[in-house]
Amino acid sequence: LRDLLNSAGFDEVKTYSFYGPDELKGFSCKGEDHFELQNPMNPDQQYMRRDLLPRLLQSLQKNLTHMDKVAFFELGAIFLPSSGAMPQEQTQLVVVASGEKNAVMKLLGVFHFITDSLGIPKYAIKIEPTQDSARIFINGLEAGEIGMVEQGLLGPRKILSPTTFWRCDPKVIFQACQKTHFVPFSQGTSQIGY
């Protein structure tokens, strides 16, 4: 997935696995919905993240002060509440693009590029439009959503550009994958020298 997203023009970022109340402003999940650290090193890092998007919006805000268009992704761990003493760890992929015209269509194009590259047949994919986003299903399993980031999340972060996101569960994508052998781009191309 990383190589495919890089080839589609997205840069990978890595953010902290923790966040605080400021990053949650505007999101429907609150602090009590998170696994909280007993002794955080910083009050801005007291919750284990349930979603990659809050920290990605923080990175987006910082990057937009230096450039007009930003397109990046993070593939990382999220921590969901569980009945036990420890949270349930899952992998999530979130792609964010800001400053692009027709950015939702661009992200849908990137999604189709990735699924085509992985050999996922088109008949296995179903896209259900909702009010402000589209839910994605692969082989009947919900794989994520693509849409516009709500203005209520952008305004407090002083992000003025329309921003789109693609949030997904990579496990669902790989379960539907038809290919069994992949060659990294770096090994699939020959060295050319002059």
Side-chain angles (χ1 to χ4, degrees):
L1 278 176
R2 286 181 172 99
D3 285 341
L4 292 171
L5 284 163
N6 285 144
S7 70
F10 291 84
D11 295 316
E12 182 172 12
V13 297
K14 291 286 185 187
T15 63
Y16 290 116
S17 296
F18 312 100
Y19 47 54
D22 287 346
E23 284 83 22
L24 293 178
K25 286 182 183 168
F27 283 90
S28 60
C29 59
K30 304 294 178 215
E32 57 270 7
D33 299 331
H34 290 75
F35 189 81
E36 187 171 355
L37 300 177
Q38 289 182 351
N39 298 311
M41 296 178 72
N42 181 334
D44 291 336
Q45 298 177 354
Q46 71 189 69
Y47 305 123
M48 295 182 83
R49 65 184 179 190
R50 287 187 58 169
D51 189 354
L52 300 178
L53 190 56
R55 281 282 187 197
L56 285 176
L57 290 180
Q58 184 182 42
S59 295
L60 179 68
Q61 174 191 20
K62 291 176 182 176
N63 280 277
L64 284 172
T65 61
H66 305 290
M67 52 190 92
D68 296 331
K69 295 180 184 178
V70 175
F72 53 64
F73 71 94
E74 183 171 10
L75 182 63
I78 58 171
F79 306 93
L80 303 176
S82 70
S83 58
M86 297 298 290
Q88 177 186 353
E89 184 175 340
Q90 290 185 358
T91 301
Q92 185 182 60
L93 169 68
V94 176
V95 181
V96 176
S98 189
E100 294 275 345
K101 291 185 178 179
N102 301 317
V104 171
M105 296 308 291
K106 178 181 179 177
L107 284 184
L108 279 170
V110 170
F111 168 76
H112 286 297
F113 163 70
I114 288 172
T115 55
D116 287 349
S117 298
L118 296 175
I120 299 172
K122 294 220 183 296
Y123 65 80
I125 299 168
K126 179 181 175 188
I127 298 177
E128 280 185 6
T130 62
Q131 186 174 358
D132 53 358
S133 66
R135 293 171 56 204
I136 300 168
F137 295 86
I138 300 176
N139 291 330
L141 299 173
E142 187 163 2
E145 64 180 324
I146 291 177
M148 299 295 294
V149 177
E150 299 171 17
Q151 189 58 38
L153 294 173
L154 299 177
R157 292 163 177 82
K158 297 179 178 51
I159 298 172
L160 304 177
S161 302
T163 301
T164 56
F165 72 95
W166 169 28
R167 179 189 294 128
C168 79
D169 180 352
K171 184 172 60 176
V172 175
I173 292 175
F174 285 121
Q175 286 174 347
C177 184
Q178 299 290 318
K179 289 188 177 183
T180 57
H181 177 72
F182 298 95
V183 176
F185 288 133
S186 59
Q187 294 178 11
T189 59
S190 61
Q191 298 287 330
I192 300 175
Y194 293 98

